[in-house]
Amino acid sequence: MQAKFLKSLMYEAQYKDYSPDFVMYDTLLEKNIPVVEFGSGTGRITLHLLEQGYRVFGIETDEDYQGFFLNKIKEKGFIDNFCYVTDITEVVEICNIIYPFNVLFHLNYQEVEVELNKLYKFRHCWSKLIIETDNIQYINSQSFRSKFNQNQDYFFKEFPRQSKSKIIIYNEVIEKNSLNIVLKFEYSLYLHKADDLNRIYNQIFPSAKLYGDFNLQFYRKNSPKLIAVCIK
Ligand SMILES: C[S@@+](CC[C@H](N)C(=O)[O-])C[C@H]1O[C@@H](n2cnc3c(N)ncnc32)[C@H](O)[C@@H]1O
């Protein structure tokens, strides 16, 4: 398993133990209905939800993350309560939907509009929608910091570079024994400013409530987070 899921091992080295957002999902998610997680990744949040007794549908485009997570939940015995779907329209029961942990920054502005309009069109399929991103007022040098991590076998390096309206994150996985680069990959992030996201939220979900942190304090310009909660 080690050498197979290198991308996942890199993600886990950085974020596996990050959990301050769990309290918000524990507070907001309705019991007894399934959760759809857009961008479920290596399953950091999904696993927590499965442990809380939820059934979860994951939407995830990356096959490395998918394989890694399926292996993990087979080992933990949660496989019956989890299923991948490619789209919200495949879920045929009322659910809660979460867009967590800056996943919206993986979509460009037009894609965000398309995605949220689709959710509006299929609003009969869900009862609560939670979208969480950082509250970006302006982009500063913090956004371009390189990051270094490691696990027992590998070093992980991440170099962000600005490219017009987006940031390209260049990644390398280096095997500790040989010091060979065993994986290189890149992805783009669109650091949407809070004003732009708020404009879309307001257009599509005018009654959405906005919160500024995981303890659900009301949103302000200087809040660390921008969390939109739409209830039908
Ligand atoms: C920041 S990670 C979050 C992972 C996980 N939700 C967590 O909280 O740790 C964002 C995830 O979204 C996935 N992703 C990006 N674009 C996507 C898309 N269009 N559809 C589904 N998943 C996507 C990425 O592959 C990545 O796994």
Side-chain angles (χ1 to χ4, degrees), residues 11 37-41 44-45 59-62 65 100-101 103 106-107:
Y11 190 85
E37 182 181 0
F38 186 91
S40 52
R44 186 182 65 82
I45 299 173
I59 301 181
E60 174 54 62
T61 42
D62 191 298
Y65 294 156
F101 208 36
V103 66
H106 287 252
L107 310 183

Side-chain angles (χ1 to χ4, degrees), residues 31-147:
K31 309 290 173 213
N32 303 321
I33 59 172
V35 179
V36 179
E37 182 181 0
F38 186 91
S40 52
T42 58
R44 186 182 65 82
I45 299 173
T46 296
L47 186 59
H48 172 72
L49 298 177
L50 290 170
E51 285 167 350
Q52 301 301 304
Y54 288 96
R55 280 185 301 123
V56 182
F57 295 90
I59 301 181
E60 174 54 62
T61 42
D62 191 298
E63 289 181 5
D64 187 303
Y65 294 156
Q66 284 195 10
F68 177 84
F69 185 63
L70 286 175
N71 270 6
K72 190 188 269 191
I73 54 172
K74 265 179 216 150
E75 277 168 21
K76 290 183 181 281
F78 288 123
I79 195 81
D80 292 342
N81 282 340
F82 178 78
C83 169
Y84 281 115
V85 290
T86 53
D87 199 75
I88 171 69
T89 58
E90 287 174 38
V91 179
V92 291
E93 51 192 315
I94 299 289
C95 57
N96 285 172
I97 309 183
I98 63 174
Y99 282 67
F101 208 36
N102 288 333
V103 66
L104 231 50
F105 292 170
H106 287 252
L107 310 183
N108 67 31
Y109 195 72
Q110 286 70 33
E111 289 167 336
V112 171
E113 280 187 313
V114 168
E115 186 64 29
L116 298 192
N117 273 311
K118 185 173 66 192
L119 291 176
Y120 177 75
K121 188 171 166 204
F122 287 92
R123 60 193 181 284
H124 53 280
C125 300
W126 52 269
S127 74
K128 195 182 271 188
L129 166 67
I130 304 167
I131 307 169
E132 183 253 308
T133 63
D134 289 343
N135 176 25
I136 297 189
Q137 296 296 327
Y138 54 89
I139 294 169
N140 60 26
S141 58
Q142 290 285 340
S143 313
F144 303 102
R145 270 205 344 232
S146 296
K147 290 182 189 158

Side-chain angles (χ1 to χ4, degrees), residues 18 26 44 49 63 76 148 172 187 204 219:
Y18 178 87
D26 292 349
R44 186 182 65 82
L49 298 177
E63 289 181 5
K76 290 183 181 281
F148 299 92
E172 287 180 3
Y187 60 89
I204 303 176
Y219 173 76

Side-chain angles (χ1 to χ4, degrees), residues 151-210:
N151 70 8
Q152 206 183 317
D153 302 313
Y154 300 98
F155 295 114
F156 304 109
K157 295 187 180 177
E158 181 182 310
F159 314 95
R161 297 282 178 268
Q162 185 155 24
S163 164
K164 294 193 181 151
S165 61
K166 61 185 182 184
I167 292 182
I168 302 179
I169 315 282
Y170 296 93
N171 301 272
E172 287 180 3
V173 179
I174 298 155
E175 192 179 47
K176 281 186 173 174
N177 274 342
S178 62
L179 292 184
N180 287 334
I181 299 174
V182 287
L183 179 69
K184 273 187 172 195
F185 65 96
E186 63 189 62
Y187 60 89
S188 298
L189 282 186
Y190 303 85
L191 301 182
H192 302 299
K193 296 209 178 101
D195 284 351
D196 295 332
L197 287 180
N198 276 332
R199 197 173 310 122
I200 304 187
Y201 296 156
N202 199 34
Q203 263 168 22
I204 303 176
F205 300 111
S207 59
K209 289 198 168 66
L210 297 183

